[in-house]
Amino acid sequence: MQATEKIDIKSLTYEELESFVVNTLGEPKFRAKQLYEWMHVHLASDFEEMSNIPKKLKEKLISNCDYVSLKQIDRQISQIDGTRKYLFELGDGQMVESVWMSYKHGNSVCISSQVGCKMGCRFCASTLDGWLRNLTASEMLDQIYRISRDTGERVSNLVVMGTGEPLDNYDNLIRFIRLLSDERGLNISQRNITVSTCGLVPKIKQLAEEDLAITLAISLHASNQDKRLSLMPIAKSYDIHEVVDATRYYFDKTGRRITFEYSLVAGVNDSDEDAQELGMLIGDINCHVNLIPVNPIKERDYTAPSTDRAYAFQKKIEKYIKNVTIRREMGRDIDGACGQLRKRHSDAKKGESNEEFCID
Ligand code: SAH
């Protein structure tokens, strides 16, 4: 006989939690408010911490629910700017990586949305070992919750730019965003949430209809279809013009300025001609272009252009687009491209790595 599945209580919306507490557990409604606060305001790491919840109810909760709380496996702190990289273990032993960055305007967290990734972008470490599974809303939330508890500081900005393709985990992502921006929880403003996608066109359109005030970031990385195809297999499914059109649609529906991410790869997409072509492709869109000198991974021979070349590219594209920035590198001493911390740990488990984890 199969055991009935436990409820992932931290993924429930306030209303769902109320219904679960009243209808399934047969408890008074106010218990839902208490539980929600313990989970999403006090960021409790287990039921034990919930001091005003009676023992009997805790027992019922333990037997009916899964309480997702990630286990910190590794933490690297940059000596240069205080950036922190975390490696967390999930309930099934899988691992995900998250980053905490402190800026003048507040603290920002970058989370993973999947274990591994199936998108196959050529320069990205997260995709090298393929895709294993989606993260639940609670597993996405808990990356932020554990980091908030660890730093003791409020998180004001959130970017979904870690491992995984968030729009390939659409329903959990939407649930996660609604929980994170719920004023009864951490209450992070939707305006301070950015979701980055390699360009799943139907999902971008669906996202435009959700009535969310989040920022959409598109990983463009090329100014024409052929070059995009050489870097990003997803271009086989969606032509670059379809992707750009989907961002126009997103802006029309939401009024939210689009961010385009463009990883600069020396000799591949960093010439003046590339900049000009990019300007012509997206120059009519209300957008911000973020240039990211590619972070080399040892499995590929892509390199970043010189600083002079990156500035020249920026200058050229500024003829078409007002807001162009070059991403400031955070945590240079602990960096490693996206997904590398996790990959090093999993390679070490397989006995393949001779690299050190420790940075200090
Ligand atoms: N799947 C999503 C989000 C994860 S990646 C997406 O594709 O947008 C977040 C950003 O980092 C993307 O723009 C991605 O293309 C970029 N990126 C990944 N590896 C990189 C590397 N080695 N150097 C520079 N940018 C990289």
Side-chain angles (χ1 to χ4, degrees):
M1 202 179 73
Q2 216 185 336
T4 30
E5 226 173 271
K6 287 189 170 186
I7 291 281
D8 172 11
I9 190 168
K10 216 185 256 187
S11 287
L12 299 181
T13 63
Y14 194 93
E15 291 69 27
E16 288 168 347
L17 182 66
E18 261 185 0
S19 147
F20 173 68
V21 164
V22 174
N23 302 324
T24 308
L25 300 180
E27 295 281 335
K29 212 169 165 180
F30 77 91
R31 293 290 180 205
K33 183 168 188 283
Q34 289 178 325
L35 285 167
Y36 200 85
E37 261 174 31
W38 276 114
M39 291 190 282
H40 302 290
V41 179
H42 306 308
L43 315 180
S45 42
D46 54 32
F47 289 123
E48 244 355 273
E49 267 183 47
M50 305 181 179
S51 52
N52 57 0
I53 301 292
K55 193 157 171 284
K56 272 253 157 355
L57 175 52
K58 278 185 191 163
E59 282 163 10
K60 253 200 257 183
L61 288 163
I62 290 168
S63 61
N64 283 283
C65 306
D66 238 348
Y67 194 88
V68 166
S69 186
L70 308 189
K71 189 166 142 206
Q72 188 180 307
I73 298 293
D74 194 2
R75 184 189 67 182
Q76 302 183 334
I77 303 180
S78 165
Q79 310 290 311
I80 300 171
D81 54 32
T83 295
R84 295 172 175 222
K85 246 191 173 190
Y86 292 86
L87 189 71
F88 293 113
E89 188 178 88
L90 309 170
D92 62 355
Q94 297 297 341
M95 285 186 279
V96 291
E97 192 177 312
S98 329
V99 185
W100 179 85
M101 291 155 286
S102 177
Y103 295 100
K104 265 194 246 106
H105 61 267
N107 298 317
S108 184
V109 167
C110 172
I111 64 149
S112 295
S113 56
Q114 297 179 317
V115 182
C117 184
K118 54 176 106 137
M119 297 299 142
C121 298
R122 299 284 299 159
F123 43 81
C124 181
S126 296
T127 202
L128 291 168
D129 291 335
W131 175 88
L132 285 165
R133 69 170 175 88
N134 284 331
L135 296 191
T136 59
S138 55
E139 288 168 333
M140 289 187 257
L141 281 174
D142 211 53
Q143 295 173 58
I144 302 153
Y145 292 1
R146 289 311 109 219
I147 291 175
S148 298
R149 286 275 287 242
D150 186 59
T151 61
E153 291 189 30
R154 178 169 169 80
V155 172
S156 50
N157 292 273
L158 187 270
V159 296
V160 189
M161 286 191 187
T163 296
E165 168 48 48
L167 298 191
D168 186 41
N169 183 14
Y170 190 85
D171 294 344
N172 289 332
L173 176 80
I174 301 297
R175 178 174 281 276
F176 157 75
I177 293 170
R178 296 203 195 284
L179 283 162
L180 188 66
S181 56
D182 185 348
E183 51 192 22
R184 293 158 296 192
L186 265 200
N187 192 15
I188 294 185
S189 163
Q190 287 181 1
R191 296 177 170 274
N192 296 343
I193 298 176
T194 298
V195 170
S196 177
T197 176
C198 63
L200 307 187
V201 168
K203 296 292 177 194
I204 294 172
K205 291 187 178 156
Q206 198 178 339
L207 188 65
E209 313 289 344
E210 296 283 355
D211 197 24
L212 294 171
I214 60 170
T215 299
L216 178 67
I218 300 286
S219 300
L220 200 60
H221 305 324
S223 53
N224 64 48
Q225 172 65 5
D226 283 350
K227 281 200 184 178
R228 194 162 194 265
L229 203 47
S230 74
L231 293 169
M232 304 175 72
I234 191 65
K236 268 185 255 167
S237 307
Y238 307 107
D239 183 89
I240 193 168
H241 292 99
E242 279 183 78
V243 175
V244 171
D245 279 346
T247 67
R248 291 192 178 97
Y249 182 81
Y250 189 86
F251 179 78
D252 285 347
K253 285 277 168 186
T254 64
R256 301 285 302 157
R257 189 173 78 170
I258 304 292
T259 294
F260 287 103
E261 293 157 278
Y262 191 102
S263 294
L264 287 166
V265 187
V268 174
N269 64 3
D270 66 337
S271 70
D272 280 353
E273 292 70 40
D274 292 313
Q276 187 173 352
E277 198 176 18
L278 180 63
M280 282 158 58
L281 181 70
I282 57 173
D284 65 308
I285 298 175
N286 185 345
C287 69
H288 162 227
V289 174
N290 198 7
L291 303 171
I292 315 165
V294 78
N295 199 337
I297 56 174
K298 68 177 192 309
E299 291 80 1
R300 307 266 188 261
D301 54 9
Y302 294 127
T303 54
S306 66
T307 311
D308 283 353
R309 177 88 296 269
Y311 281 130
F313 191 96
Q314 181 184 24
K315 274 247 131 33
K316 192 85 188 167
I317 189 178
E318 274 171 349
K319 295 205 170 95
Y320 304 85
I321 294 163
K322 268 205 311 265
N323 304 295
V324 184
T325 49
I326 300 179
R327 182 180 289 176
R328 184 156 66 94
E329 207 182 351
M330 297 290 282
R332 193 154 17 96
D333 52 339
I334 58 167
D335 221 3
C338 303
Q340 283 207 321
L341 180 60
R342 170 174 166 265
K343 182 153 170 50
R344 267 187 277 156
H345 273 263
S346 61
D347 285 353
K349 258 193 185 167
K350 289 183 238 153
E352 289 169 9
S353 174
N354 49 16
E355 286 179 69
E356 296 290 330
F357 298 145
C358 197
I359 44 118
D360 47 11

